Amino acid sequence: MSWVLLRGLTREARHWGDFAERLARSLPGPADAATEVLALDLPGNGVFCREESPATVRAIADFARAQLQARGVPPPYKLVAMSLGGMVAADWALRHPQEIERLVLINTSMRPLGRAIDRLRPANWLPLALVAARWGRAGHAEQAERVIHRITCNRAASLEQDLAAWTHIRQDAPVSAANAWRQLKAAAAFRVAAPPACPVLVLSSAADQLVHPRCSARLARAWQATYHEHPWAGHDLPHDDAGWVCRRIGRWAGGS
């Protein structure tokens, strides 16, 4: 079986850290069963940073599907996705229901189930605008990542290690300003009309400073999905409390 991880706006597989390994250990099943957890890069990010990001979630989902096909990884898949990745996962499950067995959505939002001021909380508009204005400038990488960390993470114990790792990623596989804008445009425009056919788990963070948790709550109610809210984590819930996320997924996948 294959679990597939999808990250959010301008982020890539390396931003998951050791989450894939931790999730694999938390999943139910016989000890000798092969559980594969794969982290994909979306177009314009990571190994595909030199490619143009599509301006629609639909096209991003098609790109992700093509990656798995090229690797020879057959469906069905179980998707764990956050933020923009959650929109990609939802589109994938709606258009190709035979390929998606389970769906885990973390701190995501989508029209019409989230208002614009909830999908990107107004307190962050100015800080993010300043990051965007200096995007790609020499020497700006660490400063940009410091702002992003402050907005998305509430666990600061590993701040300096995180900044070193994230700054290296930004310098090693820089996401262009144009690609960041296309991804933002795709996220802002995406809307869903119906819930997917597969079981859905929705996880959110009560203290998410970037996306209001009511977006996840509304989504869970509309889709009659299993819903859990973390009490203190920020938008990057897998960073702040990976153990909690893995336990929730493991119990849900195991039927408890």
Side-chain angles (χ1 to χ4, degrees):
M1 68 182 77
S2 295
W3 289 75
V4 179
L5 309 182
L6 301 172
R7 266 277 171 172
L9 187 76
T10 76
R11 309 313 262 179
E12 57 152 276
R14 286 178 288 180
H15 287 103
W16 287 104
D18 65 353
F19 181 80
E21 292 80 6
R22 298 183 66 170
L23 177 60
R25 293 194 297 269
S26 301
L27 294 170
D32 59 349
T35 300
E36 186 176 34
V37 181
L38 303 171
L40 298 185
D41 286 334
L42 300 181
N45 304 335
V47 297
F48 305 113
C49 67
R50 298 188 183 279
E51 299 197 20
E52 182 176 294
S53 292
T56 67
V57 166
R58 182 187 185 103
I60 297 172
D62 288 341
F63 187 98
R65 291 181 67 233
Q67 278 191 68
L68 293 178
Q69 292 169 3
R71 294 188 190 186
V73 182
Y77 311 116
K78 300 174 178 68
L79 304 182
V80 179
M82 61 176 293
S83 201
L84 171 60
M87 302 172 216
V88 173
D91 177 81
W92 191 342
L94 287 166
R95 291 194 295 119
H96 305 282
Q98 73 284 359
E99 294 184 2
I100 306 303
E101 188 173 299
R102 286 180 179 268
L103 201 57
V104 180
L105 304 178
I106 304 172
N107 285 330
T108 193
S109 66
M110 50 196 77
R111 299 166 63 198
L113 302 173
R115 302 179 302 168
I117 60 172
D118 291 332
R119 299 186 68 197
L120 183 59
R121 302 181 81 162
N124 296 306
W125 293 357
L126 180 57
L128 290 175
L130 293 175
V131 169
R134 301 181 179 93
W135 196 275
R137 289 188 186 178
H140 182 58
E142 183 176 343
Q143 182 182 356
E145 292 301 335
R146 191 174 293 274
V147 173
I148 292 169
H149 197 287
R150 176 173 56 80
I151 292 173
T152 62
C153 300
N154 290 344
R155 179 175 64 82
S158 60
L159 174 61
E160 295 308 319
Q161 299 96 307
D162 294 339
L163 289 178
W166 296 1
T167 299
H168 170 73
I169 292 171
R170 178 178 284 265
Q171 294 170 335
D172 182 58
V175 178
S176 71
N179 275 340
W181 168 248
R182 290 188 191 96
Q183 292 171 36
L184 182 61
K185 180 181 177 181
F190 180 67
R191 84 167 36 237
V192 290
C198 64
V200 180
L201 170 65
V202 178
L203 303 177
S204 73
S205 303
D208 188 341
Q209 300 177 63
L210 187 66
V211 177
H212 201 291
R214 69 167 61 104
C215 293
S216 290
R218 287 172 177 165
L219 179 65
R221 285 197 300 270
W223 288 6
Q224 297 184 329
T226 302
Y227 177 60
H228 297 287
E229 184 179 83
H230 191 284
W232 58 263
H235 184 69
D236 197 341
L237 177 51
H239 166 276
D240 281 358
D241 198 343
W244 184 89
V245 176
C246 291
R247 287 191 298 275
R248 289 296 184 187
I249 296 174
R251 291 169 185 167
W252 173 73
S256 60

